[in-house]
Amino acid sequence: MAVISVRVPDELKEKMKKYDINWSEEIRRFIEQKIRDKEKAKLLDEIDSFLESVPTLERGKATKLVRDSRDSN
């Protein structure tokens, strides 16, 4: 595992000592969640870019294609 360090003001560090919280685990979870959020946003941007390149169909075209397909069977 890699080690990172974070500087916090002395006042904040004193406040942190008052609570029985595993700060390393909390920070790790926060980082993991932030990464998931960024990855989701990136994927949505990629999907949006892909959808922009997909041609649009004229209104009613999908219905016509489905009907034609059903009628041909």
Side-chain angles (χ1 to χ4, degrees):
M1 233 185 217
V3 176
I4 63 170
S5 61
V6 178
R7 291 185 183 267
V8 296
D10 293 334
E11 181 180 319
L12 181 58
K13 177 65 175 170
E14 290 304 314
K15 289 180 180 181
M16 290 169 67
K17 287 180 184 179
K18 293 179 184 179
Y19 303 99
D20 185 28
I21 296 174
N22 183 341
W23 292 105
S24 296
E25 183 61 30
E26 290 297 318
I27 293 168
R28 191 175 304 113
R29 278 193 221 137
F30 172 80
I31 293 169
E32 289 171 348
Q33 183 62 49
K34 201 66 160 169
I35 289 171
R36 278 193 297 273
D37 292 347
K38 292 293 184 181
E39 288 175 341
K40 286 178 189 176
K42 181 181 176 200
L43 183 57
L44 287 173
D45 287 344
E46 290 172 2
I47 290 170
D48 285 344
S49 294
F50 172 76
L51 290 175
E52 287 175 1
S53 68
V54 174
T56 58
L57 293 176
E58 61 194 51
R59 186 166 177 82
K61 181 70 173 181
T63 304
K64 182 181 180 327
L65 290 172
V66 169
R67 284 188 182 144
D68 289 348
S69 176
R70 289 180 182 164
D71 291 343
S72 67
N73 290 329

